[in-house]
Amino acid sequence: MPVRLLLLALGTFAVGTDSMVTVGILGPVAADLGVSVAAAGQMVTVFALAYALAAPVLAALTARWPRRRLLLTALTVFTAANALSAVAPGYEFLLATRVLAAAGAALYTPTANAVATTLVAPERRGRALATVLGGMTVATALGVPLGTWVGRSDWRLTMWLVTALGAAAFGGLALLLRDLPASSAPAPGLRARLAPLGRPGVLGAAATTLVFFLAFQCVYIYLATAVAPATGGRADRLSLLLLVSGLASVAGSWLGGRLVDRIGVRRVLLGGSAVGAAAFAGLPWAGQSMPGALAYVVVTPLAGWAVSVALPHRLASLDPANAPLLISLNSSALYLGMAGGGVVGSAAIALLGEHRFPFAASALALVALAASAATTRTAATPTTATPTTGTAKAAAPPLDPAA
């Protein structure tokens, strides 16, 4: 495997870790900066919202930049922002650094995907993309629990870890990524990127993605709060739960691709949303013990990541010729859902309390279930317009920030 692909994957690993590792260090951040856990959770909201809004705008503004310069600039911004996060003197400054880090991530990930396809022969492009985006999957499985464990005594160490990962990717790419072929295809402008929203079915599919991730993220961001009775506030137990959740996410992504091929997008969307709604409703009781919490972090990511594969596949199948643009819209909807999840989770904690707030996620999952049922009536059978494997790889996340 080309070393340059592995270096690109190291960059996506850093981005994936950074986007969600704050989930495991909300308590230490809140205690250090003198804010509530709910306020600390807005770190995730700010990052996700900035990514969703910045990705299409920055892609249009930098469309004519050489890809090597764009990758190195993106990693410079990303790495510097995380270093600033590590030394943040206060809450407001920390939030500002998360916006800057999101801008770097929004520039890096789609460019890394595009560059990966130029480094190999045409028949190996799928595997090249899988390698680069695999960095995101590994970040979910290993980066987040590792960052949580590193930051158990000082959350700033977690941010230094992400800084080191970004710096390592920058150094390797600056040294080895040379003589890239120029892109021959004209890059679409901002208006062209948003034009698919006017096509039949696209807006409904993007809205389903938004609601689905609102449901899942409003619990995931505050998972430490939801399972506090089980962990007793111990970072090692929380790290274990995040590790199991990450491994289940990898399995869910694998399972989702195969289920979409076997039973179709509609059934995966309906089944996964139903399982998610039931799991959220049961979390107030499951979170009282480690066995119950472990069961939750196995079941929910399996269902959630299976659905996360079906969502972009569904969008891409609506207009296969414009699949890349449609998948980028799915990514923006995904990150808007992540951003809204922080706000919804915080509000649910305030209204329902730290024990019952997952009920709000259960209600949202039911809304996603209803939306899927209403908007996929004519898509009960799997489509062959776009290969599931390729689409799934291009959509994965923290999910997948490939814009």
Side-chain angles (χ1 to χ4, degrees), residues 236-285:
D236 57 342
R237 289 188 174 186
L238 179 59
S239 296
L240 173 62
L241 291 175
L242 291 172
L243 175 61
V244 173
S245 176
L247 294 174
S249 298
V250 175
S253 181
W254 176 87
L255 179 65
R258 281 144 186 82
L259 286 178
V260 166
D261 283 339
R262 185 178 294 271
I263 65 176
V265 167
R266 177 180 170 85
R267 290 179 179 176
V268 174
L269 291 176
L270 298 182
S273 297
V275 171
F280 297 138
L283 181 55
W285 293 274

Side-chain angles (χ1 to χ4, degrees), residues 99-113:
V99 173
L100 190 62
L107 276 174
Y108 178 81
T109 307
T111 307
N113 293 337

Side-chain angles (χ1 to χ4, degrees), residues 111-302:
T111 307
N113 293 337
V115 168
T117 64
T118 70
L119 299 179
V120 296
E123 66 272 13
R124 299 184 64 85
R125 285 176 180 171
R127 278 168 284 188
L129 284 171
T131 299
V132 173
L133 289 169
M136 304 297 273
T137 306
V138 175
T140 304
L142 298 178
V144 173
L146 174 62
T148 300
W149 182 80
V150 168
R152 67 193 186 282
S153 59
D154 185 354
W155 65 271
R156 297 176 189 273
L157 294 177
T158 299
M159 307 316 298
W160 283 121
L161 171 64
V162 177
T163 301
L165 291 171
F170 175 90
L173 291 175
L175 183 64
L176 298 176
L177 195 66
R178 299 182 182 276
D179 302 321
L180 288 178
S183 175
S184 58
L190 182 59
R191 180 176 297 180
R193 290 173 182 271
L194 298 179
L197 285 173
R199 298 187 183 125
V202 171
L203 186 59
T208 302
T209 297
L210 173 63
V211 176
F212 180 82
F213 278 94
L214 272 176
F216 274 74
Q217 293 299 322
C218 79
V219 171
Y220 185 75
I221 291 171
Y222 297 103
L223 183 63
T225 298
V227 299
T231 64
R234 291 174 52 180
D236 57 342
R237 289 188 174 186
L238 179 59
S239 296
L240 173 62
L241 291 175
L242 291 172
L243 175 61
V244 173
S245 176
L247 294 174
S249 298
V250 175
S253 181
W254 176 87
L255 179 65
R258 281 144 186 82
L259 286 178
V260 166
D261 283 339
R262 185 178 294 271
I263 65 176
V265 167
R266 177 180 170 85
R267 290 179 179 176
V268 174
L269 291 176
L270 298 182
S273 297
V275 171
F280 297 138
L283 181 55
W285 293 274
Q288 298 297 308
S289 67
M290 279 300 289
L294 284 167
Y296 172 83
V297 298
V298 169
V299 171
T300 309
L302 277 174

Side-chain angles (χ1 to χ4, degrees), residues 63-88:
R64 300 191 180 191
W65 285 28
R67 287 175 172 176
R68 181 175 184 273
R69 183 203 301 172
L70 185 52
L71 280 174
L72 297 181
T73 299
L75 284 174
T76 298
V77 172
F78 174 81
T79 302
N82 277 282
L84 290 172
S85 294
V87 298

Side-chain angles (χ1 to χ4, degrees), residues 15 17-22 42-48 50-51 78 81-86 91-104 159 162:
V15 168
T17 300
D18 191 39
S19 65
M20 291 306 298
V21 74
T22 47
Q42 301 314 305
M43 293 167 60
V44 180
T45 299
V46 166
F47 185 99
Y51 188 109
F78 174 81
N82 277 282
L84 290 172
S85 294
Y91 177 67
E92 292 78 10
F93 187 92
L94 179 60
L95 290 184
T97 66
R98 304 319 297 147
V99 173
L100 190 62
M159 307 316 298
V162 177

